[in-house]
Amino acid sequence: MDMQNWQQSCYEPYLPITEKSNPITRDIDRANPKEIVQMLQKCDAEIFERTSYGNHMYQTSVVQTIVDVSKRVEVILKDPEDSLIILSGCGTSGRVAFLLATSLNRLLASQNHKQIYSYIIAGGDKALLTSQETPEDDPLLGALSLDKACVGKKHVLFIGISCGLSAPFVAGQLDFCLRNLEIFTPVLIGFNPIDMARTEPIKNCSFHFKEVAERMNEMQTHQKAYVLNPAVGPEAISGSSRMKGGSATKIILETILLAGHQAAYNNEAVTLNGILHSLNMFEKVHQITYSQTTELAALVQKAAISLRRKGHVYYLGWQTLGIIGIIDASECIPTFGAGFEDIRGFVSNGFSEMNNKEGDLSSLGPHFIIGHKDFIDSILPNLSESDTVIFLYTENVDLNEVSALAKIVRQYTSNLHAITHEHEGLSDPEQMKSLFMTVLTFNWPSSLYMHQPDLMKQYWELSTKWCLNAISTGAHVLIGKTYMNYMIDLRVTNSKLYRRAIHILQRFTGSTLSQCETALLRVLYDVEELSDEMSSTDVTQHTVVANEKGNVVPIALVMLQSRRTIAEAKSYLNAYSVIRDAVAACQRLL
Ligand code: F6P
């Protein structure tokens, strides 16, 4: 069958780009590890593609907006008193906001400058480590948290990230900025054209996302607001904006912010060419990372074997690579319906490395235990060959510490691997490598960082993010947690996910919207007949109920496919550990 290109207007025309299914990964659930990595490589390459659809990353208008926003950053950095740069978003977008704000504050502090970055994540710091989807639907909460973060500030550059141009939380913040333009310069980052922004009405709110995005666009003509929304193509796993969305956000923001730093502190004016150069370097990072497809595929395979054996995958990272690991692991729960123990991340020095606003959260429970010491105390005693352990480090960390921990872990499992980054020519000592079963080493050419040495750390982070996204996504795909390229076992915990779930049911059953919504609600409320109250309650209430429920979409799907009761659909699904097999068998029954 011919692969249809998502850029054609007839390709899934009712969905915005970020929700479309990517033709590259249509058969990802039947691919082997190497093919999976190759598909992800192609999907991620679309970030840098000169698409014919909408804006693309290298388009002059996009690059010019990056220049304009970088100049705003420069102005703020030169006048840091009473000024602030706030990065905000929900889920992965908020985690990227956190990572950038904390690491750029560190950079400022190391150069004796005032720290002027701050972040907001819907759901607060808990959402850095666990999925908190409900606050995403609350525009007032977004606006209030922004207002609180800016008390006493006279100039605020606000960067709101919503990959799908969809999160009401961010819409509320942008609306607040637009009503207070004497203080705020708002910037919207996302990956859909404005005409594809979400139009679903927001509860107790006079605007929807698209209306705010249009106002932002209008204000851009007066240089009072900016919209950065290049099309980077659909996600490898449909709607999973943790992947390309997160990476593209990181690339755009690091380009903007570090260009602003160079201009403010090194007298290097922000130019179109400088920005193009920076984007080119990120494209090289993509090429270098995926040049090791075979080695990466081997790690995907190892991780899948562990999950299949009911073992675990543990990322043990140093410095920000540890945080990248924690973020990747935390996203597997809502994306694949994974258990929180399945893939976990740990960072050297725990919360003091995180440097998050609310401090040490470990008292909140086992989901919030993140230090290497915690790993030694709570995980190590039960570690076995069924578990895969992956160390993440660079040549800039204390290698004695890495080697000491590797020696301890090896006493429990030989299934120990490493992903490391070093400057070309400065190689990791051989004896270090002998501690691991496999080592995936990235040698970074000096041409990449000569221009802006500060970017090296950012490159290493992005490269690690791509590797870990491939490992966790690939492993879950291999154990059958997706159907084609859909995350079918998603939790329906906010309005966007509720709509996505209904769309998936329509896509695979051919039933009407109303039949699919009814089936979904029956599963959510666990009733064969919906009461009037259940049918008429708003989506928010449904998503509150959904917070406690797993396997909702697969059960509804089996019900729609085979006209079974809820109980029958559940017991049918219990016979299958692989969702694809269950759905396929169910379709054969027809
Ligand atoms: O609601 C879940 C989710 O889709 C996360 O996976 C994602 O990181 C978050 O929403 C934010 O999405 P967006 O950046 O499109 O607002």
Side-chain angles (χ1 to χ4, degrees), residues 277-295:
H277 177 79
S278 171
L279 295 175
N280 270 318
M281 292 301 106
F282 280 111
E283 191 169 353
K284 288 228 164 64
V285 175
H286 170 268
Q287 287 157 5
I288 291 172
T289 303
Y290 281 109
S291 64
Q292 307 222 34
T293 308
T294 310
E295 294 78 357

Side-chain angles (χ1 to χ4, degrees), residues 18 89-93 95 133 136 161-167 170 239-242 331 334-335 487 493-494 496-497 500:
T18 55
C90 312
T92 301
S93 301
R95 292 176 198 124
E133 312 292 355
E136 183 177 319
I161 311 157
S162 181
C163 298
L165 301 194
S166 66
V170 174
S240 180
S241 53
R242 80 187 194 106
E331 290 158 351
T335 309
M487 42 178 168
T493 40
N494 64 33
K496 178 178 73 183
L497 299 172
R500 188 182 292 163

Side-chain angles (χ1 to χ4, degrees), residues 114 123 166 172 368 395 408 502 522 532 549 564 566 586:
K114 188 169 184 316
S166 66
F368 299 90
E395 64 181 24
I408 299 174
I502 293 172
R522 278 171 55 202
D532 288 346
K549 307 254 164 146
R564 289 167 196 245
I566 297 173
C586 188

